[in-house]
């Protein structure tokens, strides 16, 4: 099994606060990989380091054989890692379709001259981008809202739109930051199905951060547990459930 | 379908005839000075459309925009006046001025890339002032800009032997200098509008809008923030430089005084009043704010004619009425006269 992403001894501190300490693990091609941990465990920090929002204090991240050291966010997207945000960050004044069009930015080329002249190549690219965007909206199940402003979508649909926008860049790794936050059990179940469906349909590798342990146990092939910025363990869901430090630090008496 | 298309065409035709006849109607109706006022309104429309790319599209609050107008005006002035004895043709001077302005847009934009909102506004304000002070002081040790006295006897806008300042009333009655400038400026304003509209609805325009709404999400969507911000600064400045060159040729005189902070604020007001991000709104805002102060001037004449003497001097009231009009506008239509769909939500606050 090939490893798509390697997190190699990554640490990150904010002044005196050690948010991540010497974290190492690898995500395999085609798996749905979960990252769990209590609040403040460093999950989102790891996400931000991975996507270039924050540089690591030390350590490396290697994606598809290439080091991601100090690459800005737009480069990391071009290399094939797309993400969503914990607190939804859509372009709320744009329609759902336009949001997905922006997501295709890195796959399209036309510039100022093309925009002004609107020549054949530009028109073709634009038409193709719009078709692709409509398909993506259909695949996440919100095609009926393609001309609705993102701000006017329901919460669950906004989450779906954010996933569609991320998929628009044709990533190899899709990183979802708490995609089920604020959803009810039925919506969570739908989301799980959607993620599994997209993983298969787009040949994706998926990295998910989530609080909902039950959902993660069903969704992920392997799960990494973070606590106080340190990696506790990486294992299959069944074994995670029985890990003594996991029960103590995170699951409590829930299972 | 064909019916609605036909009615759309007849609307456009009526609009075109109206725009073509406007200067003659103004000359015949309320006076020749009004053609000059409309000329200025068109120049300001081009300026406002340029600033709208920076502020309205990309969301970068630029308070020093007038500097690019100044660069365009001075390039024209230096290359087409007795200052250096140069008299370059229009097709060379205007593009050079626009290009210099675009370049200075990049140069001034580059150091401000990491700044946002208030901080960006303050730094751009400073840059605007730097350019003005430079122009004011570049008469020593080598006299380039003639300092605070400015440059006069600038060649009029001319194509070959055809000067836009000379009357051609023998060719067509009423075809005076300002009327010819009106047609030139109208054509260029329409061109700038066309470019602005095309840009707005394109990959580039969407990238700008994404940066305006959420920089982090824009970067995470693969948008190169630095390049697209600089592109916005450059495009906006280029339009500013074009308008500046035309202004120099139109007035025949430039001095640093014309490019003060108040002018930058005024152009920003035009955008905010008209509807930030909306091309038609911006043009309407520019025309309103150029014409309104002049129209208020007429209040004095009206009092003199109808009441025999001036009770309230309009020059005292002009700015007050102007200010009140702006305040009222912001309360009644905070998103501007013609709202941009993309911007509507921001002004709506928490209302659903």
């Amino acid at each position: 099994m090939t490893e798509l992403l390697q997190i190699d001894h990554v640490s990150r501190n904010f002044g005196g606060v050690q948010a991540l300490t010497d974290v190492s693990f690898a995500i395999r091609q085609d798996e749905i990989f979960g990252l769990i941990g209590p609040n403040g465990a460093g999950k989102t920090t790891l996400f931000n380091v991975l996507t270039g929002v924050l540089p690591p204090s030390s350590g490396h991240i290697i994606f598809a054989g290439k080091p991601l050291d100090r690459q800005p966010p737009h480069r990391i997207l071009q290399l094939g890692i797309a993400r969503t945000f914990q607190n939804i960050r859509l372009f709320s004044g744009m329609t759902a379709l336009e949001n997905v069009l922006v997501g295709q930015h890195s796959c399209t080329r036309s510039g100022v001259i093309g925009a002004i002249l609107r020549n054949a190549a530009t028109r073709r690219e634009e038409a193709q981008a719009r078709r692709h965007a409509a398909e993506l909206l259909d695949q996440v199940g919100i095609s009926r809202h393609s001309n609705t402003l993102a701000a006017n979508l329901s919460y669950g649909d906004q989450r779906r739109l954010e996933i569609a926008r991320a998929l628009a860049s044709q990533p190899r790794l899709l990183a979802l930051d708490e995609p089920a936050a604020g959803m009810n059990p039925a919506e969570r179940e739908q989301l799980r199905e959607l993620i599994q469906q997209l993983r298969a349909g787009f040949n994706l590798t998926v990295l998910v951060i989530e609080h909902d342990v039950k959902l993660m146990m069903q969704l992920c092939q392997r799960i990494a547990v973070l606590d106080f910025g340190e990696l506790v363990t990486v294992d299959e869901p069944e074994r995670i459930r029985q890990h003594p430090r996991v029960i103590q630090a995170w699951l409590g008496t829930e299972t | 379908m064909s019916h609605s298309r036909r009615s759309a065409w007849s609307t456009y035709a009526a609009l075109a005839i109206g725009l073509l006849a406007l200067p003659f109607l103004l000359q015949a109706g309320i006076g020749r000075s009004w053609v000059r006022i409309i000329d200025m309104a068109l120049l300001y429309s081009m300026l406002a459309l340029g600033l709208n790319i920076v502020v309205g599209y990309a969301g970068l609050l630029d308070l020093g925009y007038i500097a690019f107008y100044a660069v365009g005006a001075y390039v024209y002035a230096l290359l087409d006046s007795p200052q250096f004895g140069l008299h370059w043709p229009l097709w060379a001077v205007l593009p050079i001025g626009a290009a210099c302005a675009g370049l200075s847009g990049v140069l001034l934009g580059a150091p401000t890339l990491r700044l946002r909102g208030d901080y960006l506004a303050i730094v751009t304000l400073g840059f605007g002032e730097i350019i003005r002070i430079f122009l004011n002081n570049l008469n020593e040790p080598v006299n380039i800009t003639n300092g605070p006295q400015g440059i006069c006897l600038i060649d009029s806008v001319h194509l070959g032997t055809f000067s836009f300042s000379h009357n051609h009333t023998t060719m067509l009655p009423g075809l005076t200098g300002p009327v010819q400038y009106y047609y030139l400026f109208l054509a260029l304003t329409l061109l700038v509008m066309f470019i602005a509209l095309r840009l707005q609805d394109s990959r580039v325009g969407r990238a700008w809008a994404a940066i305006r709404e959420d920089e982090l999400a824009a970067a995470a969507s693969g948008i190169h923030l630095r390049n697209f911000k600089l592109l916005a600064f450059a495009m906006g400045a280029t339009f500013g430089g074009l308008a500046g060159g035309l202004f120099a040729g139109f007035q025949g005189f430039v001095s640093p005084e014309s490019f003060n902070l108040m002018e930058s604020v005024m152009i920003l007001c035009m955008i905010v009043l008209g509807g930030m991000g909306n091309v038609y709104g911006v043009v309407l805002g520019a025309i309103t704010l150029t014409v309104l102060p002049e129209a208020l001037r007429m209040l004095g004449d009206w009092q003199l004619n109808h009441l025999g003497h001036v009770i309230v001097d309009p020059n005292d009231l002009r700015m007050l009425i102007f200010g009140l009009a702006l305040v009222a506008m912001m309360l009644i239509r905070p998103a501007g006269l013609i709202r941009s769909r993309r911007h509507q939500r921001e002004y709506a606050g928490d209302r659903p």
Side-chain angles (χ1 to χ4, degrees):
Chain A
M1 210 170 286
T2 48
E3 286 167 349
L4 182 64
L5 181 82
Q6 271 173 281
I7 311 267
D8 188 17
H9 298 289
V10 166
S11 298
R12 170 73 208 195
N13 53 308
F14 297 101
V17 181
Q18 195 73 27
L20 289 173
T21 312
D22 200 25
V23 174
S24 297
F25 61 84
I27 298 178
R28 294 172 193 150
Q29 182 88 42
D30 294 335
E31 74 178 337
I32 299 183
F33 189 94
L35 189 60
I36 63 172
N39 279 329
K43 302 186 298 289
T44 295
T45 304
L46 183 61
F47 233 63
N48 285 336
V49 171
L50 171 66
T51 52
V53 177
L54 295 169
S57 304
S58 65
H60 301 281
I61 296 176
I62 294 138
F63 178 72
K66 285 184 206 133
L68 297 185
D69 298 359
R70 312 241 155 211
Q71 296 282 2
H74 70 267
R75 271 297 296 156
I76 290 191
L77 182 100
Q78 284 164 7
L79 290 170
I81 303 179
R83 70 171 295 185
T84 65
F85 293 88
Q86 185 179 345
N87 41 344
I88 305 171
R89 302 188 83 132
L90 287 167
F91 308 119
S92 47
M94 296 192 213
T95 65
L97 190 85
E98 286 173 324
N99 269 274
V100 184
L101 286 174
V102 173
Q104 291 182 64
H105 185 88
S106 60
C107 317
T108 44
R109 285 280 146 274
S110 62
V112 171
I113 305 294
I116 296 169
L117 300 180
R118 217 170 265 182
N119 51 349
T122 309
R123 285 200 306 271
R124 199 162 44 235
E125 183 183 271
E126 181 81 8
Q128 204 178 346
R130 280 176 187 273
R131 256 198 316 277
H132 188 210
E135 279 167 26
L136 284 167
L137 288 176
D138 191 41
Q139 262 148 340
V140 300
I142 52 170
S143 55
R144 65 189 179 286
H145 295 308
S146 68
N147 289 319
T148 310
L149 287 188
N152 297 339
L153 290 175
S154 73
Y155 187 79
D157 286 348
Q158 290 192 0
R159 288 261 176 227
R160 281 162 184 267
L161 177 55
E162 222 190 4
I163 292 173
R165 184 180 69 187
L167 285 176
S169 64
Q170 298 171 357
R172 297 178 65 185
L173 175 71
L174 177 65
L176 305 170
D177 195 351
E178 298 200 20
M183 286 186 175
N184 63 36
E187 287 171 327
R188 280 165 192 246
E189 186 54 28
Q190 285 171 1
L191 181 78
R192 183 180 65 78
E193 281 167 22
L194 176 71
I195 293 172
Q196 284 171 334
Q197 200 182 314
L198 293 175
R199 200 222 61 71
F202 289 87
N203 286 321
L204 289 170
T205 305
V206 182
L207 167 63
V208 194
I209 294 182
E210 207 20 88
H211 273 296
D212 184 339
V213 179
K214 218 169 103 193
L215 176 77
M216 293 293 263
M217 295 291 173
Q218 291 170 342
L219 180 65
C220 304
Q221 271 104 54
R222 291 192 309 144
I223 292 174
V225 183
L226 274 183
D227 196 15
F228 295 112
E230 289 178 40
L231 186 71
V232 175
T233 183
V234 183
D235 220 326
E236 285 158 17
E238 273 316 306
R239 310 264 298 267
I240 291 287
R241 213 191 288 270
Q242 285 146 20
H243 195 285
R245 261 197 80 186
V246 174
I247 294 170
Q248 179 204 347
W250 169 245
L251 297 174
T253 53
E254 197 182 304
T255 41
Chain B
M1 177 68 190
S2 74
H3 181 76
S4 70
R5 182 167 290 180
R6 201 174 306 149
S7 75
W9 273 112
S10 48
T11 312
Y12 284 132
L15 195 64
I17 292 167
L19 283 174
L20 288 175
L22 183 66
F24 293 100
L25 295 177
L26 285 175
Q27 264 181 346
I30 44 179
R32 294 179 59 168
S33 65
W34 275 89
V35 183
R36 280 190 72 84
I37 294 168
I38 293 295
D39 289 350
M40 283 311 292
L42 289 172
L43 275 181
Y44 275 111
S45 298
M46 280 184 244
L47 272 178
L49 285 167
L51 183 60
N52 185 46
I53 288 178
V54 186
V55 182
Y57 288 2
L60 305 163
L61 185 50
D62 183 352
L63 283 183
Y65 183 70
I66 202 71
F68 308 124
Y69 189 49
V71 168
Y74 266 86
V75 165
Y76 187 104
L78 294 175
L79 297 178
D80 254 336
S81 74
Q83 177 74 2
F84 293 134
L86 297 172
H87 300 282
W88 289 19
L90 185 71
W91 55 261
V93 172
L94 273 189
I96 290 174
C100 285
L103 189 68
S104 47
V106 172
L107 290 178
L108 300 191
T112 66
L113 287 172
R114 289 171 170 277
L115 305 174
R116 277 184 228 179
D118 315 354
Y119 303 99
L120 177 66
I122 290 165
V123 173
T124 52
L125 186 151
F127 278 139
E129 286 299 284
I130 287 171
I131 297 252
R132 187 179 61 81
I133 291 163
F134 249 102
L135 296 174
N136 218 359
N137 292 291
L138 271 181
N139 53 346
E140 274 177 60
V142 186
N143 185 2
I144 299 172
T145 64
N146 220 14
Q149 280 134 37
I151 299 172
C152 51
L153 298 172
I154 300 169
D155 298 351
S156 62
V157 179
H158 54 277
L159 283 166
T161 54
F162 183 90
S163 165
F164 282 86
S165 288
H166 293 162
N167 293 343
H168 289 83
T169 38
T170 46
M171 243 161 68
L172 180 73
L175 193 63
T176 59
V179 174
Q180 295 167 83
Y181 275 113
Y182 168 83
Y183 290 125
L184 176 69
F185 292 174
L186 180 66
L188 288 170
T189 303
L190 290 174
L191 176 69
V192 172
M193 280 175 80
F194 173 78
I195 292 174
L197 284 169
R198 280 268 165 114
L199 281 176
Q200 184 173 30
D201 190 20
S202 72
R203 172 172 174 269
V204 177
R206 284 191 299 265
W208 283 333
I211 292 173
R212 191 175 61 73
E213 293 219 11
D214 191 330
E215 274 194 22
L216 181 55
S221 299
I223 293 165
H224 196 309
L225 295 182
R226 185 193 69 205
N227 287 3
F228 275 83
K229 283 184 176 182
L230 286 182
L231 182 64
F233 274 119
M235 290 293 299
T238 303
F239 290 153
L242 173 73
L246 294 169
F247 171 74
F250 176 62
Q251 291 282 22
F253 169 73
V254 292
S255 80
E257 265 314 285
S258 310
F259 310 108
N260 57 28
L261 173 65
M262 205 48 217
E263 288 290 308
S264 281
V265 173
M266 202 64 180
I267 297 165
L268 191 65
C269 276
M270 291 168 181
I271 296 181
V272 174
L273 176 79
M276 201 184 284
N278 184 303
V279 168
Y280 303 103
V282 166
V283 172
L284 183 64
I287 292 172
T288 309
L289 285 198
T290 321
V291 168
L292 192 65
E294 301 298 330
L296 289 174
R297 241 188 251 281
M298 298 197 344
L299 279 178
D301 303 340
W302 184 85
Q303 289 175 43
L304 204 61
N305 290 343
H306 289 78
L307 306 171
H309 55 97
V310 178
I311 301 170
V312 187
D313 185 4
N315 275 329
D316 298 340
L317 273 186
R318 214 154 56 94
M319 282 327 234
L320 181 68
I321 294 175
F322 187 57
L324 282 175
L326 279 180
V327 171
M329 264 297 307
M330 288 301 106
L331 289 174
I332 299 163
R333 283 188 82 85
L337 291 169
I338 307 176
R339 283 181 274 187
S340 154
R341 176 176 58 76
R342 280 186 186 155
H343 286 254
Q344 271 180 33
R345 210 190 65 86
E346 286 164 37
Y347 298 96
D350 293 330
R351 274 173 277 157

